[in-house]
């Protein structure tokens, strides 16, 4: 249960940020491919959640709500800021002096991130929302003001490109 | 014939009607090759799950979120009506770039305020100063938010001369542009295209600022000019916010 005094409520939010903001941020970053937009989206969601904090009965509800609102905010910010949008701005983890297995994992992650950045915006959004966020296709179509058929085709194109990009890793495996 | 697209939708359990799902399920039982295709497809899709492992937000970013929340809590305690626009008041504005940024921003807002019709001169219209018709009650929180933002920035001015590192300046500029975007979004949300245009145009100016910020003397001069500009701006905004409050 969230406490009802402002000081304790802030502590609850602080704790949730420490525990869950990674997931919120990652989702927004994968959608926007822009660290600044992802940060803004999470902040927007957090501040909206603060004003609705009385409606949440448990941290899990708040977490789910912020996650969803952050994604919507990310999509909205991206739409408003297409001119600033850059596929190449997505930061990737650095791997100095990592053990071999860890380096390999990080290389795989980088290749996967690069493959994601090769997708068009609509392909990436449909893929992230469906594959990583488990949205229903109808929800995605509604959010994107698109049709179910268009969303499916964008998802298929995205998966095809990603599977081709990651083929070398499968061959090695 | 069941193609990969059907199998993808089958894997997700989404986008197929009941008859299609049953048809594929039966085919998987009777056709080992199809079952193998689905198995390989699932392995490939599972491989993509690693995309969820994006970089964690840096601690500084988490701290900015906490600061924004704490500030929001403080403000909403003293003035609950400002909540809707309080997300504008994030303290992320950079130091070095902030001087020139706020200078330009101040001028833009000042022109915007000056150019707005005064509701006291418009018989029958009881909108806050500067508010477009149809959104009479939402300007005041925005004005107060901008006021607070400017006041915070004024407090940051003494630190401006410390931010002479090019990398830091680029980072601050990025933050400043994000801040500017939030203001533009707020203006759009209020259907205030005039203010939104000012802010969007301002974004272009921001992009050029970082390349011109290497002279300490110019920085000090900008700082002094900004102090003056901020004082003027805050006076203007205080007046506008006060009027709009009286009219609510």
């Amino acid at each position: 249960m969230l406490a009802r005094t402002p000081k304790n409520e802030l502590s609850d939010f602080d704790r949730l940020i420490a525990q869950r903001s990674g997931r919120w941020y990652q989702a927004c970053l994968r959608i926007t491919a822009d660290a600044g937009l992802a940060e803004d989206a999470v902040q927007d969601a957090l501040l909206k959640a603060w004003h609705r904090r009385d409606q949440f009965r448990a941290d899990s509800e708040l977490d789910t709500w912020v996650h969803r609102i952050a994604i919507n905010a990310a999509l909205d910010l991206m739409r408003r800021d297409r001119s600033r949008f850059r596929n190449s701005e997505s930061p990737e983890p650095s791997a100095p002096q990592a053990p071999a297995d860890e380096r390999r994992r990080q290389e795989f992650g980088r290749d996967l991130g690069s493959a994601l950045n090769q997708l068009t915006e609509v392909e990436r959004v449909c893929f992230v929302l469906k594959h990583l966020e488990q949205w229903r296709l109808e929800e995605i179509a509604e959010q994107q003001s698109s049709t179910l058929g268009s969303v499916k085709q964008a998802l298929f194109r995205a998966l095809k490109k990603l599977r081709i990009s990651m083929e070398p890793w499968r061959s090695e495996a | 014939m069941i193609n990969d697209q059907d199998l993808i939708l089958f894997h997700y359990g989404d986008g197929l009607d009941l008859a299609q799902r049953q048809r594929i399920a039966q085919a998987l039982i009777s056709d080992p090759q199809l079952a193998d295709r689905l198995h390989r497809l699932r392995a490939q899709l599972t491989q993509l799950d690693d995309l969820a492992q994006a970089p964690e937000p840096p601690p500084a970013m988490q701290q900015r979120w906490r600061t924004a929340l704490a500030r929001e809590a403080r403000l909403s305690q003293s003035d609950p009506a400002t909540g809707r626009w309080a997300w504008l008041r994030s303290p992320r504005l950079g130091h070095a770039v902030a001087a020139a940024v706020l200078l330009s921003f101040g001028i833009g807002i000042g022109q915007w305020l000056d150019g707005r019709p005064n509701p006291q001169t418009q018989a029958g219209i009881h909108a806050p100063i500067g508010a477009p018709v149809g959104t009479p009650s939402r300007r005041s929180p925005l004005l107060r938010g901008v006021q607070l933002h400017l006041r915070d920035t004024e407090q940051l001015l003494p630190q401006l001369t410390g931010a002479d590192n090019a990398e830091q300046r680029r980072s601050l500029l990025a933050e400043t542009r994000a801040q500017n975007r939030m203001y533009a979004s707020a203006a759009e949300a209020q259907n205030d295209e005039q203010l939104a245009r000012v802010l969007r145009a301002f974004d272009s100016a921001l992009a050029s600022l970082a390349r011109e910020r290497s002279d300490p003397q110019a920085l000090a001069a900008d700082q002094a000019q900004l102090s003056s500009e901020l004082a003027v701006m805050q006076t203007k905004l205080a007046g506008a916010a006060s009027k709009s409050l009286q009219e609510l």
Side-chain angles (χ1 to χ4, degrees), chain B residues 13-104:
Chain B
D14 191 10
L16 296 172
D17 60 33
L18 180 61
Q20 290 172 312
R21 287 201 303 274
Q22 287 176 340
R23 182 172 66 89
I24 294 173
Q26 287 171 351
L28 285 168
I29 294 170
S30 60
D31 183 351
Q33 286 187 331
L34 181 66
D36 187 54
R37 273 175 56 205
L38 178 63
H39 178 74
R40 279 186 277 118
L41 175 69
R42 281 185 164 150
Q44 292 172 7
L45 294 179
T46 301
Q47 192 182 34
L48 303 179
D49 291 349
D50 277 18
L51 279 170
Q53 305 301 317
E56 286 286 322
M61 191 182 288
Q62 293 193 17
Q63 189 52 47
R64 284 196 291 272
W65 291 330
R66 288 191 176 94
T67 302
L69 270 175
R71 176 188 266 196
E72 185 65 20
R74 195 179 71 235
L75 289 168
S76 58
Q77 270 188 302
S78 59
D79 184 7
T82 61
R84 179 182 174 91
W85 299 108
W87 57 278
L88 292 168
R89 299 186 290 257
S90 162
R92 294 171 49 217
L93 194 62
H95 302 289
V97 178
V101 165
L102 265 292
L103 173 62
S104 302

Side-chain angles (χ1 to χ4, degrees), chain B residues 50-201:
Chain B
D50 277 18
L51 279 170
Q53 305 301 317
E56 286 286 322
M61 191 182 288
Q62 293 193 17
Q63 189 52 47
R64 284 196 291 272
W65 291 330
R66 288 191 176 94
T67 302
L69 270 175
R71 176 188 266 196
E72 185 65 20
R74 195 179 71 235
L75 289 168
S76 58
Q77 270 188 302
S78 59
D79 184 7
T82 61
R84 179 182 174 91
W85 299 108
W87 57 278
L88 292 168
R89 299 186 290 257
S90 162
R92 294 171 49 217
L93 194 62
H95 302 289
V97 178
V101 165
L102 265 292
L103 173 62
S104 302
F105 182 63
I107 292 169
I109 295 284
Q111 290 171 342
W112 166 69
L113 282 171
D114 290 342
R116 287 285 166 174
N118 186 333
Q120 292 177 333
T121 64
Q122 297 181 34
I125 298 176
H126 299 287
I129 188 167
V133 174
T135 56
S137 63
R138 285 190 273 174
R139 172 56 44 77
S140 181
L142 176 58
L143 290 180
R144 288 198 296 275
V146 173
Q147 268 183 286
L148 184 72
H149 174 65
L150 293 177
R151 194 164 61 233
D152 285 350
T153 305
E154 190 173 33
Q155 291 170 355
L156 290 175
L157 279 177
Q159 305 172 37
L160 287 175
T161 50
D164 55 358
N165 175 279
E167 182 58 35
Q168 184 181 7
R169 204 163 54 239
R170 275 194 294 274
S171 170
L172 293 173
L173 178 64
E175 291 183 2
T176 304
R177 292 181 71 183
Q179 185 83 1
N180 190 64
R181 188 174 59 246
M182 289 184 181
Y183 280 106
S185 297
E188 286 175 5
Q190 289 195 5
N191 297 318
D192 193 334
E193 274 304 315
Q194 192 174 347
L195 177 59
R197 270 198 303 276
V198 169
L199 296 173
R200 282 197 296 267

Side-chain angles (χ1 to χ4, degrees), chain A:
Chain A
M1 258 328 198
L2 292 180
R4 290 297 174 225
T5 66
K7 187 176 178 182
N8 287 344
E9 285 173 332
L10 266 182
S11 296
D12 289 333
F13 271 76
D14 282 353
R15 188 181 67 248
L16 205 60
I17 287 172
Q19 293 172 347
R20 308 301 292 171
S21 65
R23 279 193 68 241
W24 308 331
Y25 176 72
Q26 287 162 3
C28 294
L29 184 60
R30 283 313 184 202
I31 286 171
T32 62
D34 184 304
L37 290 183
E39 178 180 355
D40 290 347
V42 171
Q43 177 168 305
D44 193 10
L46 279 170
L47 294 179
K48 284 177 180 167
W50 173 257
H51 286 283
R52 295 189 177 200
R53 61 193 182 280
D54 290 340
Q55 300 174 15
F56 305 114
R57 292 189 299 274
D59 282 5
S60 58
E61 281 187 19
L62 179 57
D63 172 34
T64 303
W65 195 88
V66 171
H67 190 116
R68 180 77 180 212
I69 296 303
I71 287 174
N72 283 330
L75 292 165
D76 192 42
L77 286 173
M78 197 168 60
R79 267 195 293 269
R80 292 179 184 213
D81 205 1
R82 284 210 163 92
S83 62
R84 186 174 167 273
F85 177 74
R86 298 284 185 279
N87 277 342
S88 59
E89 285 182 1
S90 177
E92 298 297 339
S94 57
Q97 307 302 320
D101 285 351
E102 177 63 10
R103 270 206 308 276
R104 185 173 167 77
R105 190 191 66 77
Q106 289 174 339
E107 284 169 9
F108 175 79
R110 270 197 295 275
D111 279 3
L112 206 48
S114 299
L116 187 64
N117 286 339
Q118 300 305 313
L119 306 182
T120 66
E121 182 181 310
V122 67
E123 289 166 355
R124 190 180 60 255
V125 167
C126 289
F127 167 75
V128 170
L129 293 182
K130 181 66 229 174
H131 188 84
L132 300 180
E133 299 298 324
Q134 287 91 47
W135 283 29
R136 305 292 298 173
L137 291 168
E138 290 90 345
E139 288 181 287
I140 301 171
E142 183 179 353
Q143 210 289 335
Q144 293 286 290
S145 302
S146 184
T147 64
L148 184 59
S150 298
V151 169
K152 282 182 182 176
Q153 290 308 314
L155 176 65
F156 295 148
R157 287 196 305 274
L159 289 173
K160 185 176 181 181
K161 289 180 183 177
L162 290 170
R163 289 162 68 194
I164 290 172
S165 295
M166 302 316 292
E167 178 63 33
W169 286 93
R170 283 197 300 278
S171 301
E172 286 185 30

